[in-house]
Amino acid sequence: MNIRRISFDLMVYGSVHELEQQDQELMKEAVKARKKAYSPYSKFNVGAAVLLENGEIVTGNNQENASYPSGLCAERVAIFYASAKYPGIAINTIAISATSENFVVDKPAAPCGNCRQSISEYEIKQLRPISIIMSGETGEVLKCNSVADILPLAFNSTFLG
Ligand code: THU
C-alpha cells in the first residue's frame, strides 16, 4: 500500500484587525477598490488589491455587463492589470474584500474557480507562492499562503505536454 494524504493550510482570523499590519494595509486598498466596482446587476461589490514584489499595489474591482458572462471578477481585473502594467514582476499577496448593497457580507469572499485558476497561472509562472487574504465586510478573515491551498490539483501547462 502506498497511500498518501494531501492536506492544505488555511488561516482563520477573528477579524481584519488580527492580520499583520502590512496585510491590513493591503486590505484597506481592497476596501477602497470595492467602492468603485461597476456592479449594477448583482449589487455585489468586490475589490482586490495586489501587492507586487517591487512594493507597488495594483487594485481592481468587478466589472459587470448586461450580457452577464462578459463581466469580470475583481481578482482577475486586478491581476491582469498588474501583469499588464508590471510584466514579469512577481505577485506577493492579493487581498479581497466584498460588500453588498442588499445585505451585510459577514463571511469572507472566496475567489471563484476561474479566478483561482488565473491566479494559479501566475503563481506557477513566477515560481513563487501567492498569498490570498479573503474578507467580507465583517466577521472572520481567511488567509492562505498559496493559491494551491484553495485550488488543489490545478490544471496547468505541464498537462499540455
Ligand atoms: N465576484 C467577484 O468579483 N469576485 C469573486 O470572488 C466572486 C464574485 C463578482 C462577479 C459579479 O460581478 C458579482 O461578484 C456577483 O457574482
Side-chain angles (χ1 to χ4, degrees):
M1 291 245 280
N2 182 21
I3 300 171
R4 292 182 298 131
R5 183 184 294 267
I6 300 173
S7 55
F8 65 92
D9 264 336
L10 197 60
M11 283 159 288
V12 184
Y13 297 82
S15 79
V16 281
H17 306 293
E18 291 178 6
L19 291 170
E20 283 173 30
Q21 198 58 39
Q22 193 187 39
D23 288 346
Q24 286 193 40
E25 295 303 321
L26 194 63
M27 190 54 80
K28 279 186 194 154
E29 295 301 317
V31 168
K32 270 195 236 166
R34 85 183 183 204
K35 293 179 179 159
K36 297 180 196 158
Y38 176 61
S39 53
Y41 305 103
S42 72
K43 314 267 189 212
F44 192 76
N45 306 332
V46 186
V50 173
L51 174 65
L52 301 173
E53 68 173 345
N54 65 2
E56 293 288 339
I57 293 175
V58 173
T59 62
N61 41 44
N62 49 329
Q63 299 294 318
E64 297 187 348
N65 194 284
S67 170
Y68 291 3
S70 298
L72 200 61
C73 294
E75 295 89 330
R76 273 175 290 164
V77 170
I79 57 168
F80 292 165
Y81 179 31
S83 180
K85 197 170 179 198
Y86 299 103
I89 306 291
I91 296 170
N92 282 346
T93 311
I94 303 173
I96 304 159
S97 177
T99 185
S100 166
E101 287 165 38
N102 298 322
F103 61 94
V104 175
V105 178
D106 59 2
K107 61 182 180 192
C112 78
N114 283 316
C115 286
R116 294 177 202 204
Q117 182 70 30
S118 296
I119 298 166
S120 174
E121 178 77 20
Y122 293 104
E123 178 167 290
I124 291 164
K125 176 174 171 265
Q126 69 184 31
L127 300 173
R128 274 178 47 182
I130 297 175
S131 298
I132 305 175
I133 311 165
M134 297 155 263
S135 171
E137 273 176 275
T138 61
E140 290 180 335
V141 174
L142 302 177
K143 180 175 179 181
C144 59
N145 289 325
S146 164
V147 69
D149 286 322
I150 56 169
L151 188 67
L153 302 176
F155 185 82
N156 60 61
S157 62
T158 64
F159 289 94
L160 299 175

